[in-house]
Amino acid sequence: MKYISFIQYPDKKIRRFPVGNELEYFFDISSSELSKIKEVRVGVRGYISLTDDKDNELLGHRLFGWIDSLWLELVESVEKLMHDGFGATIVQNCGLILETYSKTLVKFYITSEEGAYKKPCRILSQKDFIDTILDGAKQFFCRLKEHLKTNQYDEDLLKIDELLRKAENFQPIDPYFHYPNETTRVNTFLFQHNEDWREMFEKERAYLMKLITETDYEIQHVGSTAINTLSARPVIDILIGTKSKWSTEMIVNDIHRDYFYQETSFPVNAFKKGTPPDCQYNIYVTEKNSPFWNSVITFRDKLLTDEDLAKEYDELKRKASACGDLQDYENQKSAFIERNDPLKLA
């Protein structure tokens, strides 16, 4: 892997883009022209071109705002990857998404302003990605420091040096994304119950607890993967119960950088971890004892204790999913849950 950093400098007219492109004038960070910038106030505008060994662009010709901030976002992503390891989804404000699916593979996404996902780049070595980003960041900030004669980036360079030392002995962390064995597949959507789903929930719960700064809340495993007698899609549904509306807002703020916010018809704050079609987690945040909380928890507990209801629900899920229409499958599930909501039947 390799990278090139560019700084925007409108007076130096080197054409690097097609006519009409607003990102038309850039020069390389190594240019002595950078010394004309006398001080750094909020950052230096530019972009990073990151390519793989076959010169396929991982970060293309798109202006990400302040290029020094972009480098720091990438360094933060690497730090989290080294700390949280396999299974991590790292979402940064600049529209970068880093996901890991195996002990080697990294998927690197760029999102558009509308939030749409561009085709991910597959990076076959976590170690290679980590080394490339840290080496690039160090070179970038050393050049800025030299040309601008500033100490502004000293703390960032110290952090990068520390990560470089840790990267020398980097070993990917054991996986907690468990993909079901194909022999357990029921149809296009469903798999037989997998005991690994409980472990996935417990590890994601621990990850959420590191992010959440509130102290009074509850995290529950809900949905079909929480019921060992049900077939299910390999998606872990997690419900976070808060003590108040204010507490909900605080927790939403704590986790929003690490999960994708999603629109939902439910009266809750909903997030996803993982990008389509490989969504692995749904996170719902609501007040404890709210109608949504009570309905979801009560229905889960009813399925755990009522074998006949669980069997009827599983049969409906298998039949509804056989046609391969996900929306129809979800609609039939919702109708069943509505009919059998213990709170409405009470």
Side-chain angles (χ1 to χ4, degrees), residues 185-202:
R185 182 181 288 278
V186 175
N187 54 35
T188 304
F189 298 141
L190 299 181
F191 289 84
Q192 297 170 17
H193 181 79
N194 189 331
E195 291 299 324
D196 290 338
W197 290 335
R198 168 61 61 177
E199 181 184 356
M200 289 173 66
F201 162 73
E202 292 294 347

Side-chain angles (χ1 to χ4, degrees), residues 278-297:
D278 300 313
C279 176
Q280 292 291 315
Y281 298 94
N282 289 326
I283 315 293
Y284 303 102
V285 187
T286 186
E287 291 180 55
K288 288 173 63 175
N289 298 319
S290 68
F292 182 82
W293 170 275
N294 289 334
S295 180
V296 171
I297 295 296

Side-chain angles (χ1 to χ4, degrees), residues 53-112:
D53 293 331
K54 298 181 180 179
D55 288 331
N56 297 312
E57 282 191 338
L58 308 183
L59 278 177
H61 294 170
R62 171 186 166 194
L63 191 67
F64 282 89
W66 304 115
I67 189 171
D68 46 353
S69 296
L70 174 55
W71 270 117
L72 292 176
E73 293 277 8
L74 286 167
V75 168
E76 181 180 341
S77 294
V78 162
E79 183 179 23
K80 294 184 71 175
L81 173 61
M82 293 170 65
H83 184 270
D84 297 311
F86 178 63
T89 297
I90 301 162
V91 185
Q92 303 298 349
N93 286 339
C94 52
L96 307 179
I97 302 166
L98 183 66
E99 295 181 355
T100 56
Y101 285 92
S102 72
K103 277 201 170 185
T104 55
L105 176 66
V106 176
K107 288 186 178 180
F108 195 58
Y109 294 78
I110 305 172
T111 60
S112 68

